[in-house]
């Protein structure tokens, strides 16, 4: 439910950039949940469908992901969100 709540907040607040400042796993310890899918198929989290559009590795361990977010109850795709930096150095 927390991931569905996260996407609900992203939608309601019209968030365009999501910045993650940690790796998902560090020294075998899970630091962050995965709130997306790394394949081309959309995932459903509550009332939201999230689809990875692209993934790009940039310098300094930065990983840029672009998502299409669609609210299922309305069928509206308002925007795509960017997952900016998995780690800044």
């Amino acid at each position: 439910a927390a991931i569905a709540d996260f996407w609900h907040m992203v939608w309601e607040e019209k968030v365009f950039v999501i910045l993650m400042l940690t790796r998902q796993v560090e020294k075998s310890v899970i630091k962050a949940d995965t709130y997306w899918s790394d394949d081309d198929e959309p995932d459903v989290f509550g009332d939201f469908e999230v689809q990875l559009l692209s993934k790009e590795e940039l310098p300094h361990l930065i990983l840029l992901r672009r998502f299409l977010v669609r609210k299922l109850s309305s069928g509206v795709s308002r925007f795509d969100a960017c997952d900016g930096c998995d780690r800044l150095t």
Side-chain angles (χ1 to χ4, degrees), residues 20-26 29-36:
M20 180 191 283
L21 296 175
T22 185
R23 294 180 182 177
Q24 285 180 275
V25 178
E26 292 180 5
V29 176
I30 296 173
K31 296 287 188 170
D33 286 327
T34 303
Y35 48 90
W36 66 88

Side-chain angles (χ1 to χ4, degrees), residues 19-23 59-63 84-89:
L19 183 63
M20 180 191 283
L21 296 175
T22 185
R23 294 180 182 177
H60 307 292
L61 301 175
I62 295 172
L63 184 58
C85 304
D86 283 336
R87 183 171 174 219
L88 296 177
T89 57

Side-chain angles (χ1 to χ4, degrees), residues 2-87:
I3 295 174
D5 293 340
F6 170 80
W7 285 112
H8 178 81
M9 185 255 337
V10 167
W11 185 270
E12 290 298 317
E13 298 299 323
K14 299 179 179 135
V15 173
F16 287 89
V17 176
I18 301 164
L19 183 63
M20 180 191 283
L21 296 175
T22 185
R23 294 180 182 177
Q24 285 180 275
V25 178
E26 292 180 5
K27 297 181 182 178
S28 302
V29 176
I30 296 173
K31 296 287 188 170
D33 286 327
T34 303
Y35 48 90
W36 66 88
S37 174
D38 272 334
D39 58 31
D40 293 336
E41 295 299 314
D43 279 343
V44 175
F45 302 103
D47 193 31
F48 297 92
E49 183 179 81
V50 180
Q51 183 174 7
L52 179 67
L53 298 177
S54 65
K55 179 178 170 181
E56 181 182 356
E57 292 186 34
L58 302 173
H60 307 292
L61 301 175
I62 295 172
L63 184 58
L64 177 70
R65 292 183 179 96
R66 293 183 59 83
F67 300 101
L68 178 66
V69 181
R70 185 166 70 103
K71 189 170 185 179
L72 296 174
S73 61
S74 67
V76 174
S77 299
R78 278 202 318 216
F79 55 84
D80 54 26
C82 295
D83 175 25
C85 304
D86 283 336
R87 183 171 174 219

